[in-house]
Amino acid sequence: MNKTNLIIYMTSIALTLALSYFIPYVWIGIIPGIIMGLIRRRSLRLISSFLIGFIGSLLMYLVYPINYLVSLAKTVGALAGISWLILILIYPLLYGLIELSASGIIGEILNSKNKK
Amino acid sequence: MAKKSYILIAVFLFILIFVSYLGQSFSLFSPSKNSIWPYSYTSKLKSQTIYLKGLKSPVKIIIDNNGVAHIYANDTYDAFYAEGYYTAYMRLFQLELFGLTGVGNLSSWFGNLTLSTDLYAHYVGFPQNANFSLNYVKENYPVIYSYLQAYSNGVNAYISQAESSHELPPIFYLLRIKPYNFTPYYSIAWGEVMSWGLAKGFCDELRLSLIYTHLGYNLTQELFPYYPYYTNGSLTAMPGNGTVNNLNLQSFNISPSYFWSLNFYSNFANGLSNETLYKAIPLIISSLNEICSDPLSFVDLGSNEWEVTGNYSSTGYPMMANDPHLTLYDPSLWLPLQLVSPRLNVTGYELVGEPGVLIGHTENTAWGLTTPLGASSNAYLEVVNMENHSYLFNGEWLPLKEYNFTLLNKKYTIYYTNNGPLVSYNNTLKMGISLYWVNQYYPFLTLVSEFLLDNSTNFSQLLNAARYWVEPTQNLAMVSKNETGFITAGLYPLIRITLPNNESVEVVGGRTILNGSIPNYEPVGYIPFNYLPQSINPERGFAFAPNQPTAFIDYPYPFVGGYWVSDGRALTIYRYLNSHRNMTISDMESLQSNVTDSWASILDPVMVSCLENENFSNNLKEGVLLLSAWNYTFYQNEVAPTIYTYTLLNIINNVVNPVLNEHGLTQYKNLLTGTVGFYGTDTLITSDLAYFATHNPNSSLFNGSFCKVVNSSYNEAMSYLSSKLGNISNWKWGNVHVLELINPAGISSLNYGPIPIWGDGFTPSAAYFNFNGTISIPLIVSEGPSLRIVDSPATNQFYSVFPGGPSENPASPWFETQLNSWLNFNYYPFSPVVEVNATWYLIPRGG
């Protein structure tokens, strides 16, 4: 891994963690996604941006006492009529998709410019 | 740019927009600090220091391992402030829900969904009465008002803290509602709701009017006698013939036997002709629908309490036990705590939303509550003209008073006669029904009484506190170190009626609606305090008041509107207390845990004698054998209670349905539940059946033969149970009789259960299932002992348990802390601190 990519990954991970803790809107994942768009290889860019978005925001649930969080998710899930696991996983999945699509858009634009 | 890139950008853009849009719905579930998850920090109780504005000096709260908070303050104001803070921490949503219910403004949260409940609250008058009482307490009891305000300040301090840390209960965020600023107005309004839920009279008079107009006097009286069949002077709460402090009916030259032989459904007792009563049937039905079928009108429930004197206890000192039966909410209506300040040391249960301890003990005293069931509200038939908004009273047309209010931007008007709000009217008939209730006319000083109880140091102070009690009327069980007893505290409105022999007497309530157009049936006062039913330091060594008739036939202020429950629990408790001496704490707990049904002990042998000689198949024979070997206990692993109960339910249907059909009451059967109804939880019908089965088995109610009814009912029950449960070994009581704790917001997915449970509606350890004529499996129990206490101040022994925990957070281990102990009849020492779980230091901000 070259130094530039390492900086991109680190910046993107840091932004994912920070933004998903401070801002409760999934579209904020566009910002780390844009950073990830700087990675040149398309497949690497898309897979890693999704994983950083998904795992990064999932990790942030560890900020809370996990056993009580799961119990709370079970209660809210019962109230909403959905599984507690889906309740916890849905947001990180969406976050990953946002980062993936943002990086995808930026990556394609940059690739096209570079080709010119 | 290549075409492929354009396509990819378009696809990614689409995903981006779509997922961003979709993600809006899930923002509350993000891991952000602005999601619902910060609430999980509150699940575990951790020791902490909290800085709060408005506290005068530091307060320490120790939460012990049993979930009891011990609040130590240097100032009583601070103690109540901390109580409010702690209650809000544990029960904020419940607290605010109850407050809004009381002030009739649930629709500000839930919109049209709860509009009818809000209208109901305004019709009965919770917000109006609360406002009246609030001003009265503020003006006349400023110190107590300051404690109410302290509690509210504590609640609001928690709200502002939880809002800033996003730690409000998730339901606030999910429903997009915000907590409101809590004030004493909400505490009093919620007190009004609880008060009305336990008030008797209005609905009972309507029900009996409907029954009487269809069944006539004889059958009504046979089914709903003035006193339940097994009542005698030993079984009444106040023992003896009804004489109280040397006063009785005979003091007014009225013979009790003459008095109770009278027909109180007739004109002299209500001022109405039968013809007028018939005319009023549509109004009676609409009033029953409007006022007596709402969830806020509690089902008829009971409670237990008994006290033993020093001569009767093993320690030589008095003891008492109390278990009030209420809807078993999840979280509970109660919150266990101790309040300590230089002038206060009280331990017990806060009724969530009401500052202080409602049921509990001090170092020297203890007290508990049960409902006495006499009428403190009445239904009046009015003559009205709604075209010019007037009503007829004493020959004059008077203007109806108007009360206007707005809900969801729509204006509503309630009209009042001199007797209270018109809850229904009919322009064609020119009639209306108004609701008289003590709380409309008298400030809710029950709160004052509660503060006096919390500060009591001896028996005379307990009695003094009882003087302030208004509503709901309650049997106040009291013990100090050396004295014991009970008094039926509260205000019973008296109506002066002239008997057919021209003697006048002041009575409580009526058997039917009353004539509101003439002054004759207006309340003339209340039962004087000295003559309220009571038993202080009883000679027989014990007193008990589990909702049986409070006083017998010679009582000077007869309870024409008594509406007692069936005496089932009273019989078991009386038999136990009367046959035991040297009672210990363990005996008291054992009696609270008793699951013997008195009616089963009478009915089951009759059933067995009817069935034992029948030529049954093996399965049916096995059922009879189980019934004959049964000792009338209702434990979860027994089969006999299942067979008995389903046979009994079929007997009730087979006896009651023909009566309802024949007299045209079938269409109203859902309105006729309760102690003076055909269905319900602790109805007179079961005691009627026990009495008739043993005294008049050939009654026309049984079509000439009780055994025939038993036989067909038993066959129906066995066939139903076989079809639903298969083999008889699956018919255990715990399989068909289950507890479900009810979410107070009515969110059924948050109900807790089902859990197999002991008892039935007639066992001292009661577990009421609501029977409305439909036989089903399982029988759902959602009412029962909402707490249990056993106290002996002189020996410093205080034990308690309740079916819940301090927290309303289902994810918290403090949610149902004591439920299993409650189910297994185990108790916790109530004070002092047993094992510390967490310590909170509340520090004045800047201090």
Side-chain angles (χ1 to χ4, degrees), chain B residues 450-654:
Chain B
E450 184 182 336
F451 283 107
L452 294 174
L453 289 168
D454 290 356
N455 281 285
S456 60
T457 56
N458 57 46
F459 198 79
S460 65
Q461 288 181 356
L462 287 169
L463 261 179
N464 183 51
R467 287 178 186 275
Y468 290 82
W469 197 278
V470 178
E471 263 283 272
T473 50
Q474 291 285 287
N475 296 316
L476 182 62
M478 304 169 286
V479 289
S480 63
K481 287 191 170 175
N482 296 302
E483 293 185 87
T484 183
F486 93 93
I487 184 161
T488 305
L491 297 182
Y492 279 112
L494 291 168
I495 299 158
R496 183 176 290 122
I497 58 172
T498 304
L499 305 179
N501 68 358
N502 287 326
E503 294 288 350
S504 282
V505 63
E506 291 174 357
V507 303
V508 176
R511 299 307 282 184
T512 65
I513 55 175
L514 305 166
N515 190 338
S517 300
I518 50 175
N520 307 38
Y521 299 93
E522 295 298 304
V524 292
Y526 306 104
I527 298 181
F529 184 79
N530 285 345
Y531 300 115
L532 284 165
Q534 55 196 276
S535 179
I536 309 295
N537 297 319
E539 279 177 21
R540 64 177 170 179
F542 62 87
F544 68 122
N547 323 108
Q548 80 277 42
T550 46
F552 206 38
I553 55 175
D554 210 359
Y555 184 63
Y557 301 98
F559 284 91
V560 173
Y563 328 117
W564 323 110
V565 297
S566 75
D567 280 346
R569 284 173 291 109
L571 272 169
T572 308
I573 293 165
Y574 173 72
R575 284 171 186 163
Y576 189 98
L577 291 174
N578 201 39
S579 60
H580 283 69
R581 293 286 185 280
N582 300 321
M583 291 280 288
T584 62
I585 289 282
S586 163
D587 290 334
M588 301 285 272
E589 291 175 353
S590 161
L591 181 51
Q592 267 187 341
S593 314
N594 189 305
V595 288
T596 309
D597 180 333
S598 287
W599 303 134
S601 74
I602 295 171
L603 278 166
D604 182 68
V606 183
M607 284 184 192
V608 170
S609 71
C610 291
L611 298 170
E612 62 191 354
N613 296 323
E614 293 290 327
N615 191 17
F616 285 138
S617 64
N618 282 345
N619 201 31
L620 293 176
K621 265 186 193 158
E622 193 182 347
V624 178
L625 283 175
L626 284 166
L627 287 179
S628 62
W630 185 37
N631 64 352
Y632 324 120
T633 55
F634 283 66
Y635 287 108
Q636 293 98 319
N637 60 353
E638 292 180 289
V639 171
T642 308
I643 299 173
Y644 165 79
T645 300
Y646 280 84
T647 304
L648 176 66
L649 298 182
N650 277 295
I651 292 175
I652 291 175
N653 273 349
N654 289 331

Side-chain angles (χ1 to χ4, degrees), chain A residues 20-22 24 26-27 30 42 46 57 60-61 63-65 68-69 71-73 75-76 78-79 87 90-91 94 98 100-101 104-105 108-109 112 116, chain B residues 1 4-5 8-9 12-13 15-16 19-20 22-23 26-27 29-34 36-41 43-44 170 174 747 749-750 810-811 813:
Chain A
S20 56
Y21 180 68
F22 287 106
V26 76
W27 52 259
I30 290 171
R42 180 187 285 149
L46 294 180
S57 68
M60 285 316 292
Y61 287 94
V63 167
Y64 306 103
Y68 298 127
L69 180 135
S71 301
L72 186 59
T75 306
V76 176
L79 192 63
L87 200 68
I90 189 108
Y91 190 88
L94 297 177
I98 290 278
L100 178 149
S101 44
I105 291 167
E108 291 306 319
I109 292 169
S112 304
K116 281 177 187 175
Chain B
M1 197 183 286
K4 189 180 168 191
S5 291
L8 279 173
I9 288 172
F12 287 136
L13 201 58
I15 296 173
L16 193 70
V19 172
S20 296
L22 193 67
F26 294 96
S27 60
F29 308 125
S30 76
S32 154
K33 68 185 181 72
N34 294 317
I36 61 166
W37 307 118
Y39 186 59
S40 58
Y41 288 128
S43 297
K44 187 175 185 300
L174 294 169
I747 304 167
S749 58
L750 291 183

Side-chain angles (χ1 to χ4, degrees), chain A residues 15-109:
Chain A
L15 278 171
T16 299
L17 294 175
L19 291 174
S20 56
Y21 180 68
F22 287 106
I23 299 170
Y25 304 111
V26 76
W27 52 259
I28 205 70
I30 290 171
I31 296 172
I34 288 171
I35 311 284
M36 287 299 290
L38 300 175
I39 289 175
R40 293 197 168 200
R41 267 181 65 195
R42 180 187 285 149
S43 57
L44 185 65
R45 181 173 67 234
L46 294 180
I47 291 169
S48 53
S49 61
F50 174 77
L51 288 177
I52 286 172
F54 175 67
I55 297 171
S57 68
L58 190 62
L59 278 175
M60 285 316 292
Y61 287 94
L62 295 177
V63 167
Y64 306 103
I66 196 69
N67 52 336
Y68 298 127
L69 180 135
V70 169
S71 301
L72 186 59
K74 284 178 180 170
T75 306
V76 176
L79 192 63
I82 49 175
S83 154
W84 66 270
L85 201 57
I86 293 174
L87 200 68
I88 291 177
L89 289 180
I90 189 108
Y91 190 88
L93 276 170
L94 297 177
Y95 211 93
L97 284 173
I98 290 278
E99 283 205 26
L100 178 149
S101 44
S103 72
I105 291 167
I106 298 300
E108 291 306 319
I109 292 169

Side-chain angles (χ1 to χ4, degrees), chain B residues 62-374:
Chain B
I62 295 175
I63 302 158
D64 70 23
N65 270 351
N66 302 333
V68 181
H70 302 265
I71 298 172
Y72 301 94
N74 295 320
D75 181 278
T76 307
Y77 175 94
D78 284 343
F80 284 106
Y81 182 106
E83 184 190 6
Y85 181 87
Y86 174 75
T87 305
Y89 183 96
M90 290 297 184
R91 303 281 185 86
L92 182 62
F93 182 72
Q94 182 189 30
L95 181 71
E96 294 247 317
L97 181 80
F98 286 171
L100 271 193
T101 306
V103 301
N105 198 17
L106 283 170
S107 49
S108 65
W109 276 6
F110 305 113
N112 281 316
L113 201 64
T114 50
L115 184 61
S116 62
T117 305
D118 286 342
L119 288 171
Y120 176 89
H122 286 272
Y123 265 102
V124 179
F126 306 142
Q128 301 95 303
N129 300 348
N131 214 18
F132 160 58
S133 295
L134 181 75
N135 292 329
Y136 188 90
V137 172
K138 200 173 181 177
E139 201 169 301
N140 296 282
Y141 299 93
V143 175
I144 288 172
Y145 180 81
S146 76
Y147 297 155
L148 289 169
Q149 188 61 58
Y151 179 90
S152 294
N153 291 347
V155 171
N156 295 328
Y158 179 73
I159 290 173
S160 93
Q161 194 185 65
E163 276 182 331
S164 63
S165 57
H166 219 264
E167 285 180 9
L168 290 173
I171 196 141
F172 282 102
Y173 303 118
L174 294 169
L175 297 178
R176 297 179 199 283
I177 51 179
K178 290 192 82 171
Y180 56 86
N181 198 42
F182 203 81
T183 65
Y185 175 47
Y186 293 94
S187 289
I188 297 178
W190 175 242
E192 293 278 340
V193 176
M194 287 301 295
S195 199
W196 172 250
L198 299 170
K200 297 291 288 179
F202 180 81
C203 294
D204 309 277
E205 287 164 4
L206 290 168
R207 282 190 197 106
L208 276 175
S209 298
L210 189 59
I211 292 169
Y212 167 71
T213 49
H214 287 76
L215 265 55
Y217 174 70
N218 289 337
L219 191 49
T220 303
Q221 192 58 5
E222 193 175 359
L223 292 170
F224 306 105
Y226 300 142
Y227 282 93
Y229 281 109
Y230 288 84
T231 312
N232 56 42
S234 297
L235 204 64
T236 48
M238 183 173 71
N241 64 358
T243 303
V244 53
N245 287 328
N246 299 318
L247 191 73
N248 56 30
L249 256 188
Q250 295 177 74
S251 313
F252 306 125
N253 294 322
I254 296 166
S255 141
S257 57
Y258 166 74
F259 182 88
W260 290 107
S261 69
L262 295 171
N263 174 357
F264 291 104
Y265 295 85
S266 57
N267 182 276
F268 80 90
N270 58 22
L272 300 167
S273 66
N274 280 348
E275 195 188 350
T276 311
L277 270 179
Y278 287 119
K279 262 192 199 166
I281 288 174
L283 284 166
I284 292 168
I285 289 162
S286 64
S287 302
L288 279 169
N289 271 317
E290 292 294 326
I291 302 295
C292 304
S293 306
D294 191 273
L296 292 186
S297 190
F298 284 32
V299 290
D300 283 331
L301 297 174
S303 303
N304 298 319
E305 57 139 288
W306 56 87
E307 309 82 51
V308 298
T309 62
N311 294 335
Y312 217 73
S313 81
S314 61
T315 60
Y317 295 102
M319 294 188 287
M320 63 157 283
N322 177 220
D323 53 293
H325 303 170
L326 292 166
T327 302
L328 298 174
Y329 284 114
D330 161 30
S332 164
L333 286 165
W334 304 104
L335 186 62
L337 46 81
Q338 179 182 18
L339 294 173
V340 183
S341 77
R343 295 202 312 196
L344 181 75
N345 186 354
V346 60
T347 307
Y349 288 91
E350 171 194 330
L351 179 69
V352 170
E354 305 295 313
V357 164
L358 187 58
I359 291 178
H361 66 267
T362 67
E363 287 168 305
N364 305 300
T365 61
W367 62 94
L369 301 164
T370 64
T371 298
L373 301 172

